[in-house]
Amino acid sequence: LVVVLLTSVSAYSTWHAFKQATVDHDVQLQAAWNELVSTAVLTAVVLAFTGSALFHWMAKPLRNVQLAARRLADGEMSVQVDVPNSREVGGIAESLNRMATQLDEKIRTISQQNLQQQAVLTSMNEGVMAIDTQERVIALNRAAAELLGVNLSEARGRSIQEVIRNTQLQRFISLTLSSDQPLEDEDRKSTRLN
């Protein structure tokens, strides 16, 4: 009986030690799990914050380029974008700045040429009329308007059939526009104004 009791006490001690070890292991496992979850949550928060900051850091130069492109499209040729440190966005900003400068120069050149042409047309005593390939009046000076008996401002953009009632002149203009050769003297004489 003593031996059996010792065995039972020994078995109980072993069982109690095993149960205690299992409880300790469960506590350690739960602590490890809690640490893993808190680390994952903290990592997710840090990554979200870092990603958001990185997005705003990258998006701000792109927004500036977009706003500058919009202003340029609206006709504001003096637009210049600050060139950011980012190679890709910086390259886009530099290209946009170059394009804005070139467009501004070209528009100024065209405007200057237009002013010069208007000054020449206005100062001429001879009648001058410019017509596009669709037979619409592009430009007309005062002498031509008086000679043809038309209103200077109303003639621009209208077809020659609307502006000029002289059929010989209309035919001459059509013939001139359809020909890729200069007209000979006989052609000019046959379409002389009356």
Side-chain angles (χ1 to χ4, degrees):
L1 190 54
V2 173
V3 176
V4 173
L5 185 58
L6 286 177
T7 307
S8 295
V9 170
S10 174
Y12 177 75
S13 295
T14 305
W15 173 253
H16 183 57
F18 175 73
K19 190 174 182 183
Q20 186 62 34
T22 305
V23 169
D24 289 343
H25 180 50
D26 285 347
V27 168
Q28 289 175 349
L29 189 61
Q30 184 64 38
W33 177 254
N34 289 344
E35 187 176 331
L36 179 66
V37 169
S38 62
T39 302
V41 168
L42 182 61
T43 302
V45 168
V46 168
L47 285 176
F49 178 74
T50 304
S52 176
L54 184 62
F55 174 76
H56 288 294
W57 177 73
M58 293 277 299
K60 184 178 179 183
L62 285 174
R63 273 195 304 269
N64 289 343
V65 169
Q66 179 187 24
L67 290 173
R70 203 174 280 152
R71 288 173 45 201
L72 185 62
D74 290 340
E76 190 178 329
M77 297 301 144
S78 62
V79 171
Q80 291 293 306
V81 182
D82 292 332
V83 179
N85 293 336
S86 167
R87 189 173 17 170
E88 292 81 10
V89 178
I92 293 171
E94 287 174 354
S95 296
L96 186 67
N97 288 341
R98 245 188 339 271
M99 183 177 66
T101 301
Q102 290 172 353
L103 279 173
D104 189 40
E105 289 171 3
K106 288 180 182 183
I107 288 173
R108 287 176 194 261
T109 301
I110 291 169
S111 296
Q112 184 65 30
Q113 289 172 345
N114 188 30
L115 289 173
Q116 290 171 351
Q117 288 175 351
Q118 290 294 359
V120 168
L121 277 176
T122 303
S123 66
M124 291 181 72
N125 291 329
E126 295 82 13
V128 178
M129 180 171 49
I131 299 168
D132 66 14
T133 56
Q134 281 79 40
E135 297 186 356
R136 296 203 176 277
V137 176
I138 299 171
L140 186 73
N141 70 356
R142 182 174 288 121
E146 288 173 6
L147 181 67
L148 297 170
V150 297
N151 184 321
L152 185 65
S153 61
E154 291 177 6
R156 286 191 186 110
R158 295 176 61 196
S159 71
I160 57 168
Q161 290 78 15
E162 294 176 275
V163 175
I164 302 169
R165 297 296 177 196
N166 183 314
T167 56
Q168 287 180 330
L169 183 56
Q170 289 175 3
R171 269 187 273 143
F172 173 73
I173 291 169
S174 294
L175 181 63
T176 304
L177 289 173
S178 65
S179 174
D180 45 337
Q181 301 287 328
L183 294 179
E184 298 296 325
D185 284 343
E186 302 89 42
D187 296 325
R188 285 187 222 160
K189 290 177 186 172
S190 68
T191 56
R192 179 170 281 167
L193 288 176
N194 293 330

